[in-house]
Amino acid sequence: MTRSIEDLSTLLRPAKDMLAEVSDREAALTEVTSQLKNDDAARALFGKVCRFEAPFTASWIHGPGDKSPYLSLELAAASLDDDRHRALLADIVLSTSPSIPYDYRALAAEKLVQVGTGEFADALQEVVDSYEPLPNRGLQAKIAVPTDGIDHLFEIPETVSGRLDLLIAASKAKTLETRHRFAVRVLANGVLPSEPVGDAERLILEDVGTTMVVASDYLVPWDQEFPGEHGSGLTLAELVRITLMCGEFSLPDTTVRPILVDFYRSVLRTCGRSIIGLSAGVFHVEHGTLATPSYYYQGRDAILGKGCVIDCVGGAVLQAGSFLGGGYMPILIHTHKHIRKGGQAAASERKQILPCIFAAEAGARYPMDAIGLFETVDYLGKETPYEGIRAIPHDA
């Protein structure tokens, strides 16, 4: 018997590890496929799922497929006719939803190039023509930023709702940037500019597995400015410090957590099924006016465990299935080292830094009991105590 839309919604809601509590996987796949082939309402619901709309952000159909990283994209190709498939792919590429992971949108864009843009070419061109780039904070503005002598100071909204509004605005703005980027690439038939490929870039490109991205997509522009309260702009570096240091972002709250996950997906471009745990985070602290872009790549199913923090002055590449720390154990992964020369005051070392990139290869585990500081620079040119964890020179 065909399920009602309410039943189908219930079937699509559970996460991968909960599906067995609702249905047998093969039976569930058969039911979803049948509904997609025969029911307009089911296809509309499937579109919501593919935009990662609540309550389907962690649906089991976003788990791995047999031939691709996402079962949902496989189901779309197998169950929809050509016109509906094209329309769904274009909807994913053009969507303003910050919940859609960057890699998922890239895979949809790659498939859209293969099937052809058809009647959606004009909509893609409109996105390209109407886009206004986000600004970067200039040198004079940086010099004018208040400081306590070490840290930059900036206005932070007094209320939780005010701080959430900052994240929502940044996520929307960054999503428009992403949407524009893929519209350009689809209209160019997937032809991307060539870039130098070093060790870090190779790890990213091997892991993400789509021709529609370049490694520099994950080079985070920490000076990029987003709208703030009363029109004052906050940089990406300042926003990630807010998420790390304001207590509400460590809570599994039904309002706060989805907004934070959208922020990570849109602004840091974390891949689908990856997790930055409670009280975990990524941050970047400017050294004077220096806020050099650095890599942050977190692949599918990669986990930054509870309480584990990565300083991204150097950079980090976490490939698929890697797992760092967890259990609220205090761990700081430090990706640059301060250098003090003989005869200099201790404070002078702050602006003399040696950056590097922390790399966790696919499936690597940084143990939960490794409490304290991991000084990545100390392992340049040598093995770390942990298999698959290594340091990559910043210019490699």
Side-chain angles (χ1 to χ4, degrees), residues 12 217 335:
L12 289 171
D217 290 353
T335 63

Side-chain angles (χ1 to χ4, degrees), residues 202-213:
R202 178 183 55 79
L203 287 175
I204 292 170
L205 294 173
E206 284 177 358
D207 200 70
V208 73
T210 169
T211 60
M212 290 298 284
V213 302

Side-chain angles (χ1 to χ4, degrees), residues 33 72 87 106 113 116 145 171 202 210 212 311 313 317 321-322 356 382 393:
T33 301
S72 52
V113 169
V145 171
S171 297
R202 178 183 55 79
T210 169
M212 290 298 284
D311 136 57
V313 170
V317 176
S322 56
C356 73
K382 63 179 74 171

Side-chain angles (χ1 to χ4, degrees), residues 90-371:
D91 187 38
I92 294 168
V93 172
L94 293 168
S95 174
T96 58
S97 169
S99 301
I100 300 174
Y102 192 82
D103 65 309
Y104 190 89
R105 203 183 294 254
L107 289 162
E110 183 178 339
K111 193 66 178 177
L112 184 58
V113 169
Q114 293 170 9
V115 303
T117 58
E119 68 271 29
F120 298 101
D122 287 346
L124 290 161
Q125 188 62 53
E126 185 178 343
V127 167
V128 173
D129 294 341
S130 62
Y131 176 66
E132 295 184 9
L134 287 162
N136 278 12
R137 182 173 290 172
L139 179 61
Q140 291 302 316
K142 291 180 188 179
I143 293 171
V145 171
T147 176
D148 61 2
I150 294 180
D151 290 311
H152 285 195
L153 308 179
F154 48 95
E155 290 189 14
I156 300 173
E158 294 180 4
T159 64
V160 172
S161 61
R163 295 190 287 273
L164 291 178
D165 286 345
L166 288 178
L167 266 61
I168 291 168
S171 297
K172 287 180 178 178
K174 199 67 174 177
T175 299
L176 293 180
E177 180 185 87
T178 291
R179 184 172 172 252
H180 168 263
R181 180 168 295 179
F182 285 123
V184 169
R185 292 175 183 179
V186 170
L187 290 172
N189 292 314
V191 177
L192 277 64
S194 60
E195 295 183 347
V197 177
D199 286 353
E201 290 83 2
R202 178 183 55 79
L203 287 175
I204 292 170
L205 294 173
E206 284 177 358
D207 200 70
V208 73
T210 169
T211 60
M212 290 298 284
V213 302
V214 290
S216 64
D217 290 353
Y218 297 94
L219 201 56
V220 183
W222 300 107
D223 273 344
Q224 196 169 51
E225 276 193 323
F226 299 90
E229 267 198 342
H230 313 301
S232 59
L234 293 178
T235 65
L236 201 158
E238 290 164 349
L239 287 172
V240 292
R241 293 209 292 283
I242 287 174
T243 65
L244 189 62
M245 296 177 180
C246 293
E248 67 269 12
F249 296 111
S250 296
L251 299 175
D253 179 78
T254 54
T255 298
V256 173
R257 186 65 182 175
I259 291 170
L260 183 60
V261 171
D262 282 356
F263 178 79
Y264 290 147
R265 285 182 172 179
S266 57
V267 173
L268 292 179
R269 294 179 173 161
T270 56
C271 289
R273 303 193 302 271
S274 69
I275 297 169
I276 296 178
L278 304 176
S279 295
V282 178
F283 73 101
H284 183 283
V285 177
E286 303 90 344
H287 292 71
T289 61
L290 181 66
T292 306
S294 60
Y295 282 115
Y296 187 76
Y297 172 79
Q298 187 169 345
R300 289 176 284 270
D301 301 301
I303 298 174
L304 186 60
K306 294 179 177 68
C308 187
V309 174
I310 297 183
D311 136 57
C312 244
V313 170
V317 176
L318 318 180
Q319 286 191 303
S322 56
F323 196 124
L324 307 186
Y328 293 104
M329 304 302 258
I331 298 171
L332 170 62
I333 293 171
H334 200 228
T335 63
H336 68 285
K337 195 165 187 177
H338 298 268
I339 302 167
R340 184 180 178 187
K341 298 179 180 178
Q344 288 185 321
S348 67
E349 70 184 44
R350 190 175 168 273
K351 292 185 183 179
Q352 299 173 44
I353 61 173
L354 174 62
C356 73
I357 296 168
F358 174 92
E361 297 184 355
R365 182 67 158 95
Y366 186 88
M368 192 179 294
D369 61 357
I371 304 170

